[in-house]
Structure formats: structure tokens, C-alpha cells
Amino acid sequence: MNYTVNQLRIFLKIVETMSVTRAAEELFMTQPAVSIQLKNFQDQFDIPLTEIVGRKLYVTEFGYEVAKIAKRIFVEFDELKYKTREYEGVMKGNLKIASASTGKYVIPYFLSDFLTNYPGVDLILDVTNRAKVVEDLKTNKMDFAVVSVLPDDVEVEEEILMENKLFLVGNPDNYKRKEALIFREDGSATRQEMEAFFKQKSTQQRKRIELTSNEAVKQAVVAGLGHSLLPLIGIKNELLDGELKIIERKNLPVKTDWRLIWLKNKKMSPVSKAFLEFIKAEKNRIMEKHFQWYQDF
């Protein structure tokens, strides 16, 4: 066999996009050039890597196995690159983290000093909905994910960052009245916790409002559209400014944990290893420095 690194990279992009055209676009190549490289790569195997059915490209079972091996090869390439830089005394590379939306109030404080200590590290931080966070972790697009509820369809390891407290809140004018309940979208960890809390309560007479981000929910509550269960970490300023008021209820606040998770048995890059070691060593100091106010609620 005489395949090239470029052929491996192109084949992985085809597997990821399930399209020669899209692979060409993302690789900034022409479609014919990608097709030629795919053919040259395929010519080195007696078993088909892909097949066309009804003008649609499909990856064969063998093709997926080759893709898995190719991914491991690139991990080893990165390891070699990072190891060289390590011996040169320089830590460089990408740190890729996906975070659930409310995690944007947490993870930056755990990154600041690390990035200062390692100026050669480039951060890729994707703040998005929980479903995409879990999917990007499962497909190994990200080194870590920040979530408050562990996914149940993938094996992960975890490092607890800090407690996550969810309070029922309303605005100062309606917090004593029975109001509509404002929920996050299906799949959100906050939605799961809110539905679990209200499961045994008489809420059928209340109108339900569904919004797609905690920020949208927060603004809706501030505007007086209803009440919602919201993470304390994201409503500090509104509480201090008097725009939101905590509604006292039995069994509140709901408590979970913000946690850093990664795939079980993942082969980490030196950058990922260094970040995890930093978190384990420094998280208590970071909590005392940035989240002392959090303990008062």
C-alpha cells in the first residue's frame, strides 16, 4: 500500500460529510480533485470503501473501519508533533471544548490562567445546545465537554468543576402570583430538571411557554411572561439589580454539578492532558477567587 496523508485526510472528510461535493468545499479543493484522490485511495483496497446508491454516496462497513484507523493515525501524528514541541520546551496546539449554553458562565474562569500559562495553546470553544455538545463529544470532534447532566448514551469520564444550583424565579411584580411556566427546549438539562421538579405538582392549568436558550428564558421572566427554573450562575446580575426575584419553594434549589467530561479511554493530546492536570490542581483556587458569591445563595 502506498496511500498518502492527504488521501487519508480527504477520505475522513468524505466520511464526515457523506458527500464528495461538501468534502471538496470544506477542504477548499475542486470536486474532481477530491474524486481522483478518493479513487486513488480506493485502488489500494480490494474491498469497496464507498458505494453510490441512487446518486447518493454511502460509506461501507469496511470504509468505516478504515476511517477509524485513519483517525487513530492522525492522533499519533498530533502526538508526534506535540511531543517534539514538548522537548523544545513549548506547549502548542488546539484545546477544543464544547459547552452547554449556561456553561459559558462557568468554563471561561477555568480557562483564563491556563491560557495565560500556555500562550501557544489555541482555544476552540463551542457554546451550543446540549444535544450538539454530546454529539460532538461522541464523534470525537471535541476534547472535552462541559455539562450539568451526564449523557446516558456514551461512556465518559468526568471531573467535577462546581455545584449547579437552579432556583425558581419571577420578576418583582409577579413572583407571588401563579404564572405561566417557561421551559427550555426538549433535550436541555435545565428542561429535564424543571420537568422533574414540577412532575408531581398541579401545573396543568398553567400555560407552558418553550424557548430555546437560557438567555431567552431569562429575558422572558424579566419581562413578566412567567416563572422559570434557572441556573443561579446565569442570573447573578439580574438578582442584584432587582430584575428577578427568587421564589421560595420546598425542595429548592435543585442541585446538580457542572462537570468537565471526556470520552472514556480517549487518547489525549499533551494539551488536553495539561489542561486536565491544571483543572485538578487549580479548581479550588478558582472557585475561591471567582465564585465566593455563589456560596451565599
Side-chain angles (χ1 to χ4, degrees):
M1 280 186 189
N2 192 29
Y3 55 79
T4 67
V5 173
N6 191 43
Q7 286 171 352
L8 288 175
R9 183 175 289 108
I10 289 171
F11 180 64
L12 282 176
K13 183 59 69 173
I14 290 171
V15 172
E16 177 186 329
T17 61
M18 298 298 289
S19 165
V20 170
T21 300
R22 287 179 57 196
E25 291 172 354
E26 295 190 17
L27 291 169
F28 301 101
M29 297 173 64
T30 65
Q31 184 174 335
V34 170
S35 297
I36 290 171
Q37 290 300 324
L38 176 60
K39 181 181 182 302
N40 291 341
F41 189 52
Q42 173 64 80
D43 286 346
Q44 299 177 73
F45 302 94
D46 295 328
I47 304 171
L49 299 169
T50 62
E51 56 186 357
I52 303 296
V53 179
R55 302 184 67 180
K56 181 175 176 58
L57 182 142
Y58 293 88
V59 180
T60 65
E61 182 179 353
F62 177 68
Y64 279 117
E65 291 299 319
V66 171
K68 287 180 184 178
I69 295 171
K71 286 180 181 179
R72 293 202 296 269
I73 289 172
F74 279 105
V75 168
E76 294 297 332
F77 280 156
D78 286 341
E79 179 75 17
L80 178 60
K81 178 174 62 177
Y82 295 141
K83 183 60 67 176
T84 302
R85 289 170 174 169
E86 186 179 327
Y87 272 86
E88 292 172 346
V90 179
M91 178 71 75
K92 288 185 178 180
N94 291 329
L95 177 63
K96 296 176 287 186
I97 301 175
S99 173
S101 57
T102 311
K104 67 185 177 184
Y105 298 106
V106 175
I107 191 60
Y109 295 99
F110 291 87
L111 284 163
S112 179
D113 288 347
F114 177 77
L115 294 175
T116 299
N117 293 343
Y118 298 102
V121 172
D122 294 325
L123 172 66
I124 300 171
L125 177 60
D126 185 18
V127 179
T128 183
N129 62 70
R130 183 176 180 274
K132 187 173 186 300
V133 167
V134 174
E135 181 61 27
D136 285 350
L137 187 71
K138 286 169 61 176
T139 55
N140 210 28
K141 289 182 180 178
M142 295 292 171
D143 300 315
F144 299 101
V146 179
V147 296
S148 60
V149 176
L150 288 172
D152 55 12
D153 58 347
V154 57
E155 288 190 286
V156 299
E157 297 183 62
E158 65 173 330
E159 180 69 24
I160 302 296
L161 298 178
M162 61 181 289
E163 190 175 59
N164 181 36
K165 303 176 185 178
L166 295 99
F167 286 89
L168 185 65
V169 294
N171 77 10
D173 297 325
N174 73 8
Y175 78 99
K176 291 184 178 180
R177 302 197 302 262
K178 204 168 194 177
E179 291 287 329
L181 291 176
I182 306 174
F183 285 79
R184 283 287 306 275
E185 78 282 5
D186 277 334
S188 160
T190 303
R191 167 71 170 259
Q192 292 176 20
E193 297 298 336
M194 189 168 175
E195 287 188 330
F197 177 74
F198 284 106
K199 187 174 182 181
Q200 303 300 324
K201 299 187 177 294
S202 178
T203 59
Q204 57 267 36
Q205 74 273 28
R206 294 188 182 188
K207 180 180 178 182
R208 293 162 64 99
I209 300 172
E210 182 176 308
L211 300 174
T212 57
S213 73
N214 273 329
E215 194 65 30
V217 172
K218 179 171 68 175
Q219 294 306 320
V221 176
V222 169
L225 292 182
H227 298 161
S228 189
L229 202 66
L230 283 172
L232 175 62
I233 196 71
I235 58 175
K236 173 188 176 184
N237 292 336
E238 288 75 15
L239 289 172
L240 294 177
D241 293 342
E243 294 180 293
L244 291 178
K245 192 169 182 66
I246 290 175
I247 302 169
E248 300 292 341
R249 288 288 186 275
K250 185 179 179 180
N251 299 324
L252 284 179
V254 174
K255 296 181 180 181
T256 59
D257 290 297
W258 283 109
R259 60 197 81 212
L260 189 74
I261 65 173
W262 60 96
L263 289 176
K264 189 174 183 179
N265 300 321
K266 177 179 174 62
K267 187 174 178 60
M268 289 190 178
S269 70
V271 170
S272 298
K273 290 177 183 176
F275 179 62
L276 186 56
E277 290 171 3
F278 171 84
I279 290 294
K280 291 179 178 181
E282 299 293 332
K283 66 178 181 179
N284 290 336
R285 178 189 63 80
I286 292 169
M287 282 294 300
E288 291 178 5
K289 180 179 179 181
H290 297 290
F291 297 102
Q292 192 61 47
W293 66 271
Y294 199 78
Q295 313 306 319
D296 298 331
F297 284 86

